[in-house]
Amino acid sequence: MATTTTRTSFLLLFLASLLSLSVPSSSSSTDSFVFGGCTQQRYAPDSPYEFNLNSLLTSLVNSATYSSYNNFTILGSSPQDVVYGLYQCRGDLSMPDCATCVARAVSQVGGLCAQTCGGALQLQGCYVKYDNTSFLGVEDKGVVLKKCGPSVGYEPEAMGRRDAVMAGLANAGGPYRVGGSGEVQGVAQCVGDLSLDECQDCVSEAIGRLKNDCGTADFGDMFLGKCYARYSTGKGHLALKDHGDKLSNDGEKTFAIIIGLLAGVALLIIFLTFIRKMFGEHGK
């Protein structure tokens, strides 16, 4: 029986590993790197702060399996051991994609900001940040990243559509905003710890800077401390909901197939074990 159990476990694990290779990767739309940064202050290895930071990062990953945004404060025995952190997923991501993205971001920020007291990392699909100084609920409209594509010259139709999309984002309300007109796509999002008024203020600032700084660029990204606004006048720069849904649906279908096959294999092995046992008893 021990041999059968071992073979069963090995077969199930092998099948799961084999089938997982067929799950489509969503790295192009969620896991690709946008920016990251670390504070200068460092903590000592094996210190209470390191223990609290690991606890915080674990909480971020666990929470992302059921919520697209959350923040945590891990208290310590002394004020210098307190750590604050949050994560946020892009508003159109499914929960599986959100959890995968946050886990990837936590892994990357841990390597990027090893033994520093604060770090932040933005991937295409999610954002994580932690620090030993509280930033939760604090407005921050400082420019973190500005990126403008090549100028395509002033094309009245394209620029008119872009301005209309940007105006739509500015007036949309809510923490996550997406719009489009033809090939022009736009998206804006605030970090979840801002109030609606603070979010509106931040998005308006990002859109104003984006239009002013990027001019007639084919695409533009403006990431401020607590929000961002992005646009693209062509295909491929912004990976929004349609692409994310396809990946999510493919992943869910493959997951269902895996579960079904694993269940079938398990039932088959149980049946063969039962038959073997019956023949063994008759043989006696």
Side-chain angles (χ1 to χ4, degrees):
M1 181 62 71
T3 302
T4 303
T5 303
T6 301
R7 288 176 179 173
T8 302
S9 300
F10 175 78
L11 184 57
L12 293 175
L13 288 171
F14 174 75
L15 185 58
S17 299
L18 182 63
L19 290 174
S20 68
L21 296 177
S22 66
V23 177
S25 171
S26 61
S27 60
S28 61
S29 62
T30 60
D31 295 346
S32 54
F33 179 86
V34 179
F35 68 80
C38 318
T39 62
Q40 293 185 340
Q41 186 178 0
R42 302 178 67 83
Y43 61 82
D46 301 320
S47 63
Y49 188 83
E50 181 178 39
F51 178 84
N52 289 345
L53 176 57
N54 290 335
S55 176
L56 171 80
L57 296 178
T58 300
S59 297
L60 298 184
V61 174
N62 290 340
S63 179
T65 61
Y66 60 84
S67 177
S68 60
Y69 164 79
N70 211 343
N71 68 75
F72 295 89
T73 300
I74 307 298
L75 301 176
S77 56
S78 61
Q80 61 264 31
D81 297 328
V82 179
V83 57
Y84 309 88
L86 60 76
Y87 73 89
Q88 176 164 283
C89 290
R90 200 174 69 207
D92 63 335
L93 290 194
S94 67
M95 293 317 305
D97 288 341
C98 176
T100 299
C101 187
V102 172
R104 180 70 60 87
V106 165
S107 174
Q108 290 187 19
V109 77
L112 179 69
C113 301
Q115 294 186 7
T116 63
C117 292
L121 186 77
Q122 176 76 58
L123 301 182
Q124 290 288 355
C126 62
Y127 174 69
V128 297
K129 182 176 180 177
Y130 63 87
D131 206 336
N132 61 345
T133 302
S134 180
F135 56 90
L136 302 176
V138 178
E139 283 192 272
D140 182 359
K141 294 186 290 185
V143 177
V144 179
L145 173 70
K146 178 187 75 174
K147 186 175 182 181
C148 302
S151 175
V152 293
Y154 187 77
E155 298 180 1
E157 183 178 356
M159 290 299 102
R161 286 185 174 182
R162 184 205 64 177
D163 291 347
V165 170
M166 292 290 98
L169 295 181
N171 297 324
Y176 178 71
R177 314 171 186 195
V178 61
S181 175
E183 290 188 346
V184 180
Q185 291 184 323
V187 60
Q189 187 170 19
C190 299
V191 178
D193 62 333
L194 294 185
S195 68
L196 291 179
D197 287 343
E198 291 169 338
C199 175
Q200 183 62 41
D201 188 37
C202 191
V203 168
S204 297
E205 178 75 14
I207 289 175
R209 287 177 177 266
L210 192 58
K211 292 173 63 177
N212 182 67
D213 292 2
C214 289
T216 59
D218 186 42
F219 69 84
D221 299 338
M222 184 64 66
F223 286 83
L224 307 185
K226 284 293 181 74
C227 71
Y228 65 81
R230 314 176 74 184
Y231 78 87
S232 174
T233 60
K235 296 180 180 179
H237 178 62
L238 293 179
L240 299 177
K241 189 171 176 44
D242 54 350
H243 184 51
D245 280 350
K246 181 180 185 302
L247 292 169
S248 178
N249 291 336
D250 288 344
E252 290 170 1
K253 289 177 182 177
T254 306
F255 182 74
I257 293 171
I258 291 173
I259 294 299
L261 288 175
L262 290 178
V265 171
L267 289 174
L268 177 62
I269 292 173
I270 292 172
F271 175 74
L272 292 176
T273 303
F274 175 73
I275 294 297
R276 182 183 299 176
K277 185 176 181 182
M278 285 186 62
F279 278 103
E281 290 178 351
H282 287 299
K284 294 179 181 179

